[in-house]
Structure formats: C-alpha cells, structure tokens
C-alpha cells in the first residue's frame, strides 16, 4: 500500500520528521517497507511511503485509515471529509428510479449494494491535482470519472465502479450468479467463461462486471458517456478471493474486498465520489439513492478490563491513556466513568476483526508502541510432564531401532483404497470397514491407512528404484478403521518395522546375504525383551503374510505384535521382488502388558550348569510349545532355554525335524552337580516323549 504524505496531511497533521513517522508506523504494526520521493514532472516531487499491511488490517488500505492510525498514536485531531450531508443538498429533482432499476438476487454474497445515477456528465481528462495524486501512488490516469473512483478507493478503501448507463440493457442492474459458460470480456481485455459459482453484476442481457474484481469492457465509461451509474457495494470476502483466483484476475478492488470493507462507509465513499464527479465532470446527481441493505449489522460491544490490560502488557499505562488510544482509533467507549474497572467498548464496522478483549489489548499495545513494552523475564512454575505408557514405548522402541541401524520414516496417514483393504486385518477385525476420504488430495491417498506396512513397503520400493538396494525402516503412527455396525471410527497406535535387500557388509553376516524371517523375528524379540514382556507365539493368520514364515505374539489374550515375510505376490505387486521382512506392534496392547514396576534380581552367587538336548519331533509341533514344556518339566532348577539349531533334511525320518536346545541349570544355594542335574534332565526327556512324541536324536 503506497501512501502519499502530502495527501495524508489533508486528514491529520503531525510535527515530526518523515523518519520519525515511519518508525512510529512500524512500531504500531504498519511496517514501512520503503520510502522515496516520486517525480511528478515539471520539477515537482512528493514523498511516498510503502506500507506492509497485514490481512487483518484491511482498514489501513486507504489514506483515511492510515491517517486515523496516526491520529490515534499522536493524539492529534482527525478530520476526514463528511460528504453525506452535502450530497443531500446536491440532489436534483429527477428521481433515479426513472432511469435505473436495481435487483440484488444474492444478498448472502452481497449484503449491501448501492447505486447513484449522474446525468449530463462530461467525460474528459482529470485536473492536474487529481492526476498527480494517482501518479504518486502508482496509478495511471484514464479520465475524470474513472480517476475519481480510483481516488476515492485510495482515500476511503472502498472500491467503486462507474457504468455507462446507456450501455446497460433495459437500464437495469442485477446482482446474480453467472450461467454456465457465460462469456465475459474484462476491462483489461481478458476473455473469460464463467461458471455458476461466479457472482456477477449484469444487465438484462449480459454480465457487466465480475463482482468485487473487475468491470467489463461492454459497459466502461468513455468520452461518449453522458449518464453514469455509480456502484458502491460490500461483497463477501471469500467469494471475491475465490473468483479472483479462479479466473486469474487481480485488482486493487479485489485486494480490498478480500480483506473486508466497511459496510457502513459504502454510502459515504459513494457520496464523496458523486460530489467530485459533479465538480469535475459537471454531472447532475439524481435523487433517491438505491441502497439494498436487508440485514443491517449490529455493532459489537466488548468488555475491557483495565487491570487485565495491565497484566497482559506488563505496564501501568493508566485508564485515561488506554481509553484515549481506543477513542483515537474510532472506537466508542460506552461507559466513560474513569472510576470503573470494566469498560464497554463499541467496535465500528471498519474493524470487523476486533472480537475479544485481547484484541483491544493488542490495539493498546500497538499504539503505545511495541518498543515501549518493558522486557521482563517470565515467572512461573514448571510441572514435570510424564509421558504416557504408549508414548514411552514409542520413544524407547525408536531409540532401540536406531541403535540397530534402522531409519525412521514418516508417511501420510492416507493410502490407496486397495492397500487399505489388503492390509485391513493387521489389527482390525475382518468385518471392519476402511475409512474413505470425502476430499482426497490424490487418487493414491484416498483412504485412511489400516496398517503402517504399505507406506514402508512403498518407501522401500522407491529406494530400490533410486539404487539403494538395502532398506531398513520403521515408523510410529496411527491406523484407522470403522468396526462393523458402528459409526465412530477407531484409531490404534502402532509401530512397524520393515527390512529388505542384502545386509550391509559386516562380520556377522555373509556378504550379499539378504534379510530373512529370523532377522525380523530377532528384532521383535529384542523389542519385547526390552520392555520385559513375556509372550506366547502362535501362527499368524494374515493373508498378506507368508503362512510358513509368520508368527503372532500374545500377552494373555491380547495380541501385541506379529511379524513375518510379506507374501511374495503382494510384495511384487508393490514393486519389490526380494523377500520383505515386516513386523507391526499394537502399542496400546503392549503398554497394557508391560509390568508396572520392574523387580530387581541380584546376580546369582553360583554358576550355571549347561546341557544340550537334540530331539526329533513332528514338523507341525511349534518350537515355542516345546520350549514351554521344557521350562515346565525342568522346574525349579532350569533357568534358561534357548533354541539354537533347527534341521530338516533327507537324513531324518519323513515328517520329522530336529531341534537343539541349550539348557542352563542353576541353584540360588549351591553349585549343582551332575547327580543333581541328571534327574531333572531325564524328567524333561520323559515329558517331551509322553506329551509331544519327541525322542532324543542319535548323534
């Protein structure tokens, strides 16, 4: 917003340098971005400053608005024009209704529409002073009528438009929606086709303006114009913004309407323009202004506590100074008793963003100057914030995975509808329903995810395409679904891990060896051990996993996690042709299974005694079931059971597999002898044979 300082002085005086004024405006929230002299020709120059007006201060997009701010800050008198009484005296006897009809069919998008008719207008060049005013702020003079509408817009911040009344079909103005593909040629020559969402100003045949944005070439004022219909209106800011963006038209008018104009000043700015047209173009103003204003807006009233203003600002400005600032901005203080603690402040229409007490306090801070607010250290007490169990689990799991060499990924909470269905049974019931988005940002992000795995797999495929063939990722986030016969959606906090491709070079893995089921199972066991959770492992019945290389972990009746190899066909469909190892943890179920308090166990005083046992057992028997039975039969001396070898081959009987366990025996009272360990070992062998049909394997 460019402001001419000489022009400002018509409404408020100040006795300070330009530099001091610029500093004052900047400290009050109107940042001065530039100030420079402008050459008007003929040896004339004028000082112009450019202000950065934030969107909530649309009232400062005018010289009167900026002058009001200066008056409020300095306390100097503010004397804007008062054209309304003079307009009443300037009306001629002919009624405007005989020359023009106005219909507002969209009061929701145009809450106020006014029009004046001026006859016997002589269009020509503007006088020198008016041209200089416009040139100083970067506008090009056109003719006296158009220049006056631009001058008043920059004076009041109220856009106006002048139509050649003789070019309007049936001398009628309609505020309406456009029809489908309705043609329009703007003043700048842009040819458009409107959709029905566009608000237009039209005559009985065609659009003559895109409301609040730009007029049409078919009704513009030219040197042949003798009768003018002068429009002044208030349009919905959102609709103006949408139309301006959609149709690619930007103007000084749309810039102001988007930020909101003073609905009460619509007629004042129109009166000012009409009087100037009469003065500079010799027009006659027909009486009886058209003013369609079906729902007048009530002025808001806000209670302001002086003590609260002092508390927020950390100052002691005093009641009189605070009220003086507010009155200087044009706000009306209803109760003016200085002994009162609370004041009722009436907000004028040109300040629609003032809605709460804190807004008024901000105005006081602005006018007093942000640089005058004392700097104080905040005083308060800090209360410790304890993480929730689920948050603690995620934090610890994230740290452990980073130590294991995995990288964290962050994906959208949306995925393709196909992936949401294919991975629905991750932790949702089979009859649950994925949640589709009403307005997705793209077709491949149309549904809320039901598992974290698709995002990780897609990230791995992207890495493979870019040459990174070894990918290890994890992610923490929510999954979403709607249970059967319910309306409310369910969100579950999850933690997922994925590994694919060859291992990075190291001493523990052969060069080129790819990640396999046991790698991901080891990661899961590491996480569960870290939380002190004992789980029972059962086959995982999920369609997206390899049935022979997958397992589900239960703590009691709650499933806390699953892991395995992704089904090869599904992995290939998602862009990966190598084994994909995955695991996913139900964080809330895991949090419920984590011991409330960890118990301290002193280091044993006596050493362990070790035995190995190799057994032949039927292939369907799960190793976890065997481990549980060994622990049960080996009590109370058996301290650890570890499976370290599994073998299946031609050398074994058909349908059998060989499992080798390392057993550790220990007593808290003494060092065990073979004579004490052997009976326990034999009871283990006997239990395995009787309950699982297992036999010792011959060496």
């Amino acid at each position: 917003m460019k402001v001419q300082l000489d022009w400002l002085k018509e409404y408020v005086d100040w006795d300070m340098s330009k530099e001091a004024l610029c500093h004052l405006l900047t400290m009050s929230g109107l940042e001065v971005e530039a100030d420079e002299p402008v050459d008007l020709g003929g040896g004339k120059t004028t000082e112009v400053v450019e202000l950065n007006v934030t969107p909530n201060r649309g009232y400062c997009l005018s010289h009167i608005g900026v002058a009001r701010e200066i008056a409020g800050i300095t306390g100097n008198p503010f004397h804007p024009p008062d054209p309304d009484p003079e307009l009443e005296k300037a009306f001629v006897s002919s009624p405007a209704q005989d020359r023009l009809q106005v219909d507002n069919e969209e009061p929701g998008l145009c809450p106020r529409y006014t029009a004046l008719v001026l006859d016997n207008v002589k269009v020509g060049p503007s006088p020198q002073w008016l041209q200089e005013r416009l040139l100083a702020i970067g506008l090009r003079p056109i003719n006296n009528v158009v220049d006056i509408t631009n001058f008043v817009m920059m004076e009041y911040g109220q856009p106006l438009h002048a139509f050649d009344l003789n070019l309007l079909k049936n001398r009628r103005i309609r505020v309406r929606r456009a029809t489908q593909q309705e043609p329009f040629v703007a003043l700048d020559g842009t040819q458009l086709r409107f959709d029905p969402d566009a608000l237009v100003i039209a005559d009985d045949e065609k659009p003559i303006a895109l409301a609040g944005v730009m007029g049409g070439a078919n009704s513009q004022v030219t040197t042949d114009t003798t009768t003018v219909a002068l429009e002044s209106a208030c349009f919905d800011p959102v609709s103006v913004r949408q139309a301006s963006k959609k149709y690619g038209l930007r103007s000084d008018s749309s810039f102001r309407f988007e930020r909101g104009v003073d609905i009460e000043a619509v007629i004042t700015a129109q009166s000012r323009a009409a009087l100037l047209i009469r003065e500079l173009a010799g027009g006659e103003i027909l009486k009886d202004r058209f003013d369609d204003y079906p729902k007048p807006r009530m002025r808001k009233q806000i209670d302001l506590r002086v003590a609260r203003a002092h508390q927020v600002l950390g100052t002691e400005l005093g009641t009189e100074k605070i009220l003086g600032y507010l009155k200087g901005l044009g706000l009306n203080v209803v109760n003016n008793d200085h002994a009162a603690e609370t004041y009722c402040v009436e907000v004028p229409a040109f300040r629609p963003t003032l809605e709460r007490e804190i807004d008024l306090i901000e105005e006081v801070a602005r006018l007093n100057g942000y640089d005058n607010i004392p700097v104080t250290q905040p005083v308060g007490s800090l209360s410790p914030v304890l993480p929730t169990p689920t948050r603690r689990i995620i934090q610890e799991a994230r740290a452990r995975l980073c130590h294991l060499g995995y990288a964290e990924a962050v994906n959208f909470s949306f995925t393709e509808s196909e992936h949401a269905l294919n991975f629905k049974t991750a932790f949702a019931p089979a009859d649950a329903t994925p949640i589709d988005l009403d307005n997705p940002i793209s077709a491949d992000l149309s549904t809320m995810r039901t598992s974290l795995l698709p995002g990780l797999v897609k990230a791995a495929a992207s890495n493979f395409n870019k040459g990174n063939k070894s990918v290890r990722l994890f992610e923490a986030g929510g999954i979403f679904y709607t249970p059967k016969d319910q309306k409310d959606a369910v969100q579950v906090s999850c933690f997922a891990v994925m590994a694919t491709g060859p291992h990075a070079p190291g001493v523990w893995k052969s060069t080129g060896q790819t990640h396999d089921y046991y790698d991901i199972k080891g990661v899961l066991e590491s996480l569960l051990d870290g939380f002190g959770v004992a789980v029972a492992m059962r086959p995982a019945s999920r369609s997206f996993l390899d049935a022979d290389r997958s397992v589900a972990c239960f703590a009691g009746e709650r499933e806390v996690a699953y892991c395995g190899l992704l089904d090869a066909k599904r992995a290939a469909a998602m862009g990966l042709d190598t084994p994909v190892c995955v695991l996913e943890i139900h964080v809330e179920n895991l949090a419920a299974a984590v011991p409330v308090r960890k118990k301290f166990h002193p280091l044993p005083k006596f050493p362990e005694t070790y035995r190995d046992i190799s057994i032949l057992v039927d292939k369907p028997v799960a190793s976890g079931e065997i481990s549980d039975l060994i622990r049960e039969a080996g009590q109370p001396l058996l301290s650890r059971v570890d499976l370290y070898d599994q073998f299946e081959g031609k050398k074994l009987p058909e349908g059998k597999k060989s499992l080798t366990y390392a057993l550790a025996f220990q007593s808290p009272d003494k060092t065990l002898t073979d004579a004490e360990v052997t009976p326990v070992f034999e009871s283990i062998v006997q239990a395995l044979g009787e309950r699982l049909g297992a036999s010792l394997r011959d060496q």
Side-chain angles (χ1 to χ4, degrees):
M1 169 67 186
K2 291 185 176 181
V3 177
Q4 186 185 15
L5 298 188
D6 291 339
W7 191 350
L8 279 180
K9 287 185 176 179
E10 294 184 5
Y11 317 115
V12 63
D13 294 321
W14 63 86
D15 54 356
M16 64 183 74
S17 66
K18 179 188 69 174
E19 290 74 18
L21 178 66
C22 291
H23 176 76
L24 200 68
L25 290 173
T26 299
M27 288 298 103
S28 69
L30 290 175
E31 180 186 0
V32 177
E33 292 187 327
D35 66 278
E36 58 184 358
V38 175
D39 184 9
L40 299 177
K44 292 184 179 180
T45 60
T46 186
E47 293 291 340
V48 174
V49 298
E50 186 167 357
L51 303 178
N52 179 12
V53 181
T54 54
N56 65 324
R57 305 202 181 279
Y59 63 94
C60 285
L61 294 172
S62 65
H63 282 71
I64 286 180
V66 176
R68 187 187 288 109
E69 289 287 299
I70 296 173
I73 299 170
T74 62
N76 295 339
F78 174 56
H79 38 82
D82 186 16
D84 289 324
E86 187 178 348
L87 181 72
E88 295 293 332
K89 302 175 184 177
F91 283 138
V92 299
S93 59
S94 301
Q97 285 79 1
D98 292 345
R99 308 291 296 276
L100 176 67
Q101 288 180 290
V102 176
D103 295 314
N104 184 3
E105 301 171 14
E106 294 290 338
L109 299 180
C110 179
R112 190 172 194 179
Y113 189 90
T114 67
L116 281 175
V117 177
L118 295 95
D119 203 5
N120 299 321
V121 174
K122 297 180 181 179
V123 180
S126 297
Q128 186 68 25
W129 70 266
L130 180 54
Q131 294 189 36
E132 289 177 353
R133 285 279 189 257
L134 298 179
L135 289 170
I137 57 176
L139 297 182
R140 177 175 60 88
I142 298 175
N143 59 54
N144 48 11
V145 173
V146 175
D147 292 350
I148 288 169
T149 61
N150 288 333
F151 171 83
V152 173
M153 177 177 64
M154 293 301 177
E155 183 180 41
Y156 279 87
Q158 170 63 46
L160 305 167
H161 192 75
F163 299 104
D164 187 333
L165 186 58
N166 295 323
L167 297 179
L168 304 186
K169 182 71 173 181
N170 297 331
R171 294 176 175 263
R172 185 181 181 192
I173 289 178
R174 296 173 59 199
V175 184
R176 62 171 174 83
R177 298 270 192 172
T179 59
Q180 186 67 41
Q181 292 296 298
E182 191 167 18
F184 176 73
V185 180
L187 282 172
D188 63 357
T190 303
Q191 298 185 10
L192 301 170
R193 291 277 180 176
F194 289 143
D195 293 327
D197 60 351
L199 183 69
V200 299
I201 312 301
D203 58 14
D204 261 349
E205 183 179 70
K206 60 191 179 298
I208 55 176
L210 179 59
V213 181
M214 191 174 290
N218 54 11
S219 60
Q220 63 181 319
V221 172
T222 65
T223 54
D224 297 328
T225 301
T226 58
T227 306
V228 170
L230 183 62
E231 169 195 277
S232 182
C234 177
F235 298 109
D236 175 61
V238 175
S239 68
V240 173
R241 171 65 176 167
Q242 290 174 340
S244 174
K245 188 174 182 180
K246 179 174 182 177
Y247 297 106
L249 294 178
R250 296 288 292 166
S251 65
D252 290 324
S253 295
S254 65
F255 189 74
R256 284 158 177 78
F257 278 123
E258 289 171 13
R259 285 151 180 79
V261 299
D262 182 2
I263 197 169
E264 301 296 337
V266 165
I267 58 172
T268 304
Q270 187 182 55
S271 299
R272 172 75 162 157
L275 292 170
L276 285 173
I277 292 175
R278 187 188 69 159
E279 177 185 347
L280 302 181
E284 299 175 346
I285 308 173
L286 276 59
K287 70 176 182 178
D288 299 332
R289 182 203 318 256
F290 291 93
D291 187 2
D292 187 83
Y293 191 16
K295 294 181 179 180
R297 295 180 182 176
M298 301 296 295
R299 290 197 174 188
K300 291 177 291 189
Q301 291 187 341
I302 304 173
D303 288 336
L304 173 65
R305 297 165 292 173
V306 174
R308 178 60 176 164
H310 289 157
Q311 179 187 23
V312 171
L313 300 180
T315 60
E316 290 292 336
L317 299 178
T319 302
E320 189 171 346
K321 194 169 187 177
I322 289 175
L323 298 183
Y325 282 144
L326 297 179
K327 291 176 183 178
L329 291 176
L331 280 65
N332 181 33
V333 180
V334 178
N335 59 322
N336 210 15
D337 181 7
H338 285 195
E341 295 183 357
T342 303
Y343 293 86
C344 181
V345 179
E346 190 175 70
V347 180
F350 64 84
R351 295 301 307 273
T353 57
L354 296 181
E355 298 180 345
R356 304 170 297 165
E357 180 185 44
I358 195 66
D359 297 330
L360 299 179
I361 296 174
E362 182 185 359
E363 295 302 297
V364 174
R366 284 197 316 107
L367 267 64
N368 189 58
Y370 292 127
D371 53 342
N372 293 325
I373 297 177
V375 178
T376 57
Q377 295 295 329
V379 177
S381 59
L382 297 177
S383 300
V385 179
L386 299 177
T388 62
T390 55
R391 183 64 181 168
R392 183 176 62 84
I393 285 175
I394 291 174
Q395 289 174 340
E396 293 184 13
R398 180 183 284 120
R400 187 175 290 266
L401 265 296
C402 288
H403 294 159
L404 293 174
Y406 285 74
E408 184 171 9
V410 179
N411 292 300
F412 283 114
S413 295
F414 325 123
T415 187
E416 296 178 40
S417 177
E418 180 183 0
H419 293 334
L421 287 171
N422 290 339
F423 289 84
K424 180 180 66 174
T425 55
F427 286 116
D431 56 1
T433 305
I435 303 170
D436 293 327
L437 301 179
D438 292 335
N439 187 25
I441 57 179
S442 64
D444 60 344
L445 297 172
S446 62
T447 307
M448 300 297 290
R449 63 187 177 188
T450 54
S451 170
L452 303 181
L453 297 182
L456 294 180
V457 176
K458 290 173 67 176
S462 178
N463 273 268
F464 267 55
N465 292 336
K466 293 176 174 61
N468 181 16
K469 300 301 184 181
S470 179
V471 183
R472 301 200 293 179
L473 300 173
F474 70 89
E475 181 178 10
I479 65 172
F480 311 86
Y481 63 89
T482 302
K484 184 180 180 182
D485 300 328
Q486 293 186 24
K487 294 182 179 179
D488 295 334
V490 172
Q491 177 178 346
V492 178
S493 181
C494 292
F495 195 94
V497 185
M498 185 227 60
T500 187
H503 283 276
V507 298
W508 300 111
K509 296 288 184 180
S510 302
T511 302
Q513 182 178 347
T514 60
H515 289 87
D516 57 24
Y517 165 71
Y518 296 104
D519 291 315
I520 202 67
K521 184 170 178 286
V523 171
L524 178 58
E525 290 174 344
S526 175
L527 291 173
L528 296 178
D529 288 344
F531 294 116
V533 176
V535 297
M537 295 192 176
R538 306 172 189 172
S541 56
R542 288 177 170 83
S543 60
F544 55 85
L545 295 179
D546 186 323
D548 297 329
R549 291 290 185 272
S550 60
V551 67
C553 301
F554 287 80
E557 295 302 318
R558 289 192 181 97
E559 185 180 16
V560 298
Y562 66 86
C563 74
L565 292 183
L566 192 65
D567 179 72
K569 292 183 179 179
R570 191 144 300 169
M574 299 177 73
L576 293 175
D577 55 2
T578 61
V580 181
C581 313
V582 296
L583 75 84
E584 194 162 19
I585 297 174
H586 192 301
V587 177
E588 294 161 8
N589 284 352
L590 179 59
V594 173
V596 177
R597 179 176 297 176
K598 293 183 179 181
K599 294 182 179 180
F600 171 72
H601 297 279
L603 294 175
K605 297 180 180 179
F606 303 96
E608 293 178 327
T609 299
Y610 303 102
R611 295 283 182 93
D612 289 347
I613 182 171
S614 295
I615 61 173
L616 288 175
V617 69
D618 294 337
K619 288 184 178 180
V621 179
S623 62
E625 185 179 357
I626 299 172
S627 298
D628 293 341
L629 181 55
I630 292 174
R631 289 190 184 92
E632 178 186 339
Q635 293 303 313
L637 299 181
L638 184 65
S639 59
R640 286 189 299 111
V641 179
D642 294 319
L643 173 67
Y644 71 85
D645 183 66
Q646 177 176 338
F647 174 71
E648 297 178 18
K650 297 180 179 179
K651 295 182 179 180
L652 300 180
E654 187 175 353
K656 297 290 185 178
K657 63 181 178 181
S658 171
L659 300 175
T660 302
Y661 292 86
L663 311 182
F665 300 87
Q666 191 174 41
S667 170
D669 304 319
K670 59 181 179 179
T671 301
L672 297 175
T673 64
D674 286 345
E676 293 168 322
V677 172
T678 299
V680 179
F681 184 83
E682 291 176 349
S683 66
I684 292 174
V685 174
Q686 182 179 356
L688 291 173
E690 291 176 353
R691 294 169 60 173
L692 298 179
S695 61
L696 290 178
R697 181 183 173 189
D698 296 332
Q699 297 299 325

